[in-house]
């Protein structure tokens, strides 16, 4: 029995690792508890075979939340040495003892540690998956949230891999016992003030009396939700025209109703996620959708940023914050300036490469010289529908007191040359 379980886990890990043949360092998030101890043992058996040139590295995060935390560091170091695995411990100071703050501190270290192509193996198992599903269910999550934990996902420059999601805690106990290794029992796991611990200690016992395989069933449901969420994301991408651009031009058909309200809701939800601006609640998303259908303009605060509705486009606000004059030389490529990026590319006609210019925001009395005569920059921006919240800081190029370009919208004909530079601005 144990031998077959071990073989199954080893094969699951092997198959996931083979999907990442060029991994430089394979990290194992190693708390010293049952899950990560079993995973580290499995990795020590499999990684030398699948990735002989990669480094296997146990990464322990000391949250400094328990009196015995320094002793746990030494126990983890001892286990890693026993398995002939490199070991590193990083000390952190979470803002509080809450699960969320501890997780934030832990993941900050993970992000800093992972280099391009690295893998981070985590020991989450089927019971963890079911508990995560319940926690999100109680918070009113949709199918995206109820997908719970993905078997793999990007993190910083690397990838998180969870090879044990189809195996139970009981199976891991058998594997860890078979390996002869000791693990740490964190006393905070018994504190039912934490929601996950309450689910594990109280609710799980009740569920097990009625359904012995409840964790397997909920893990299966989480996977079904993940499948549905993937289909929703693909539909949203189709409705977005192929990519979640910023700004996003919303198809007028979606705004007219015609039974397409759910499609519009789905599009906006996934576009916000693509901008790293998840809505705070379903009510916030519904309010935004209502405004899109009934108003021509709008602005919302979402996740600390502004989302604007203007000219049937959604903008995730990235303030330019261009407040000072900058002297620069025009050249092909991207130049990071203030909080924006000046992008220059070769065009049939454009501004001369090597031209020295002054890049600055709009000032009172600024004008541009158009073929039909002069026009104030203010009127030009209004006529060209530059979003109002960007007009005061949108970059202009000046040479010898003359404005020769409103970046991304216009450049003076008298300054254009064959094979010159076309300019754009990325906020």
């Amino acid at each position: 029995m144990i031998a077959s379980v071990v073989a199954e886990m080893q094969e699951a890990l092997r198959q996931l690792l083979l999907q990442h043949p060029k991994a430089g360092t394979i990290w194992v998030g190693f708390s010293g508890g049952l899950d990560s101890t079993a995973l580290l043992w499995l990795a020590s058996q499999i990684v030398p075979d699948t990735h002989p040139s990669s480094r296997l590295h146990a990464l322990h995060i000391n949250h400094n939340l328990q009196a015995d935390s320094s002793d746990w560091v030494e126990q983890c170091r001892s286990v890693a040495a026993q398995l002939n695995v490199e070991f590193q411990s990083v000390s952190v100071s979470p803002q509080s003892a809450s699960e969320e703050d501890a997780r934030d501190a832990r993941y900050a270290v993970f992000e800093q540690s992972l280099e391009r192509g690295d893998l981070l193996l985590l020991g989450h198992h089927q019971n963890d998956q079911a508990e995560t599903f319940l926690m999100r269910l109680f918070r009113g999550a949709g199918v995206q949230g109820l997908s719970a934990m993905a078997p793999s996902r990007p993190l910083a420059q690397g990838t998180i891999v969870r090879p044990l999601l189809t195996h139970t805690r009981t199976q891991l106990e058998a594997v860890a016992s078979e390996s002869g290794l000791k693990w740490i029992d964190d006393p905070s796991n018994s504190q039912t003030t934490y929601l996950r611990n309450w689910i594990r200690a109280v609710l799980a016992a009740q569920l097990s009396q009625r359904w012995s395989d409840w964790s397997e069933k909920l893990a299966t449901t989480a996977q079904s939700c993940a499948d549905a969420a993937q289909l929703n994301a693909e539909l949203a991408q189709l409705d977005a025209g192929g990519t979640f651009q910023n700004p996003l031009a919303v198809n007028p058909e979606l705004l007219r109703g015609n039974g397409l309200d759910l499609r519009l809701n789905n599009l906006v939800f996934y576009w916000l996620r693509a901008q790293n601006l998840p809505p705070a609640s379903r009510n916030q998303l519904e309010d935004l959708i209502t405004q899109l259908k009934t108003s021509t303009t709008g602005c919302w605060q979402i996740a600390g940023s502004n989302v604007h509705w203007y000219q049937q486009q959604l903008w995730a606000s990235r303030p330019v914050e261009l407040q000072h004059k900058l002297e620069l030389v025009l050249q092909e490529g991207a130049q990071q300036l203030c909080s924006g990026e000046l992008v220059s590319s070769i065009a049939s006609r454009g501004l001369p490469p090597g031209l020295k210019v002054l890049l600055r925001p709009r000032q009172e009395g600024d004008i541009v010289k158009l073929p039909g005569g002069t026009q104030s920059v203010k009127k030009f921006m209004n006529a060209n529908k530059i979003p109002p919240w960007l007009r005061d800081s949108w970059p202009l190029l000046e040479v010898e007191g003359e404005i020769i370009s409103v970046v991304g919208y216009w450049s003076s004909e008298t300054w254009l040359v064959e094979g010159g530079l076309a300019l754009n601005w990325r906020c």
Side-chain angles (χ1 to χ4, degrees):
M1 161 93 179
I2 294 179
S4 64
V5 171
V6 170
E8 288 176 6
M9 291 185 181
Q10 289 177 328
E11 185 58 22
L13 178 58
R14 182 188 305 277
Q15 293 304 318
L16 282 172
L17 290 175
L18 289 175
Q19 295 176 23
H20 305 274
K22 297 182 179 180
T25 299
I26 298 175
W27 302 85
V28 177
F30 185 41
S31 67
L34 167 66
D35 316 339
S36 62
T37 298
L39 178 59
L40 187 63
W41 180 76
L42 288 166
S44 71
Q45 306 291 308
I46 300 301
V47 170
D49 179 37
T50 61
H51 292 70
S53 60
S54 299
R55 295 174 58 200
L56 179 61
H57 205 120
L59 178 59
H60 176 79
I61 312 299
N62 179 4
H63 297 88
N64 293 292
L65 295 175
Q66 299 293 333
D68 296 330
S69 59
S70 58
D71 294 336
W72 294 350
V73 173
E74 295 310 311
Q75 180 169 336
C76 290
R77 190 189 309 277
S78 175
V79 170
Q82 187 177 343
L83 295 174
N84 197 28
V85 174
E86 294 183 61
F87 177 80
Q88 178 182 352
S89 177
V90 178
S91 180
V92 297
S93 300
Q95 294 184 4
S96 74
S98 72
E99 292 175 281
E100 183 177 358
D101 285 342
R103 183 187 184 281
D104 288 346
R106 182 166 63 251
Y107 272 75
V109 174
F110 291 160
E111 292 180 4
Q112 294 167 7
S113 301
L114 290 175
E115 296 183 358
R116 186 172 300 279
D118 284 359
L119 300 182
L120 172 64
L121 308 185
L122 297 179
H124 298 115
H125 49 73
Q126 187 181 95
N127 298 74
D128 293 324
Q129 184 76 313
E131 292 161 8
T132 299
F133 177 90
L134 287 171
M135 291 173 68
R136 296 182 180 179
L137 178 68
F138 298 151
R139 292 169 182 161
V143 292
Q144 182 71 37
L146 295 178
S147 301
M149 295 178 286
S152 66
R153 70 172 178 87
L155 179 70
Q157 299 184 74
T159 303
I160 286 178
V161 177
R162 298 183 176 94
L164 304 178
L165 286 180
T166 59
H167 294 86
T168 66
R169 177 180 174 83
T170 300
Q171 290 174 319
L172 290 185
E173 288 176 344
V175 170
S177 298
E178 179 73 7
S179 70
L181 298 173
K182 295 182 179 180
W183 60 86
I184 296 166
D185 287 318
D186 187 339
S188 68
N189 289 336
S190 62
Q191 297 175 8
T192 54
T193 51
Y194 296 133
L195 178 57
R196 184 179 293 275
N197 290 349
W198 177 82
I199 291 173
R200 185 176 299 163
V202 180
L203 182 59
Q206 296 296 316
L207 292 174
S208 296
Q209 290 180 13
R210 187 67 179 266
W211 302 284
S212 60
D213 60 348
W214 69 273
S215 64
E216 179 183 355
K217 297 300 185 186
L218 291 189
T220 299
T221 301
Q223 182 57 54
S224 296
C225 289
D227 295 342
Q230 179 62 34
L231 291 175
N232 287 347
E234 292 175 6
L235 176 60
Q237 191 165 1
L238 287 174
D239 284 337
T243 58
F244 295 119
Q245 295 183 359
N246 182 25
L248 173 72
V250 178
N251 186 334
E253 286 297 318
L254 298 180
L255 297 170
R256 294 190 186 108
N258 302 324
L260 298 177
D261 288 1
L262 291 179
R263 292 266 293 270
L264 178 60
N265 188 305
N266 187 62
L267 168 62
V268 173
F269 175 81
Y270 280 97
W271 177 79
L272 288 171
R273 284 181 59 86
Q275 313 310 317
N276 295 315
L277 299 175
S281 66
R282 186 181 183 90
N283 287 341
Q284 186 179 43
L285 180 61
E286 289 177 348
D287 175 64
L288 192 156
I289 297 298
T290 299
Q291 292 296 315
L292 297 191
K293 295 172 62 179
T294 59
S295 303
T296 57
T297 61
C299 180
W300 301 266
Q301 281 279 332
I302 297 180
S305 295
N306 290 329
V307 173
H308 295 270
W309 176 234
Y310 179 71
Q311 298 293 333
Q312 289 196 323
Q313 291 183 314
L314 276 171
W315 299 68
S317 178
R318 302 289 187 269
V320 178
E321 296 178 3
L322 185 64
Q323 299 175 353
H324 306 289
K325 299 179 179 180
L326 299 172
E327 293 183 349
L328 55 91
V329 176
L330 296 183
Q331 57 189 15
E332 184 181 5
Q335 296 174 269
Q336 188 68 42
L337 305 168
C338 304
S339 62
E341 190 175 46
L342 180 65
V343 182
S344 307
S345 57
I346 298 295
S348 57
R349 284 175 61 76
L351 294 175
L355 179 66
K356 294 182 179 180
V357 299
L358 188 67
L359 184 142
R360 66 169 177 82
R362 187 183 70 173
Q363 298 173 354
E364 189 66 32
D366 279 339
I367 62 170
V368 290
K369 297 178 180 179
L370 303 176
T374 62
Q375 185 180 53
S376 71
V377 170
K378 181 177 182 179
K379 288 185 177 180
F380 175 89
M381 289 184 167
N382 182 59
N384 285 272
K385 300 178 181 179
I386 296 177
W389 63 93
L390 295 177
R391 293 175 188 174
D392 286 341
S393 55
W394 195 263
L396 312 176
L397 296 186
E398 176 186 313
V399 176
E400 298 176 355
E402 177 187 352
I403 295 173
I404 67 167
S405 180
V406 178
V407 175
Y409 288 89
W410 167 85
S411 292
S412 173
E413 282 287 337
T414 60
W415 287 86
L416 300 183
V417 299
E418 297 289 335
L421 297 173
L423 307 180
N424 207 345
W425 182 258
R426 293 176 183 166
C427 300

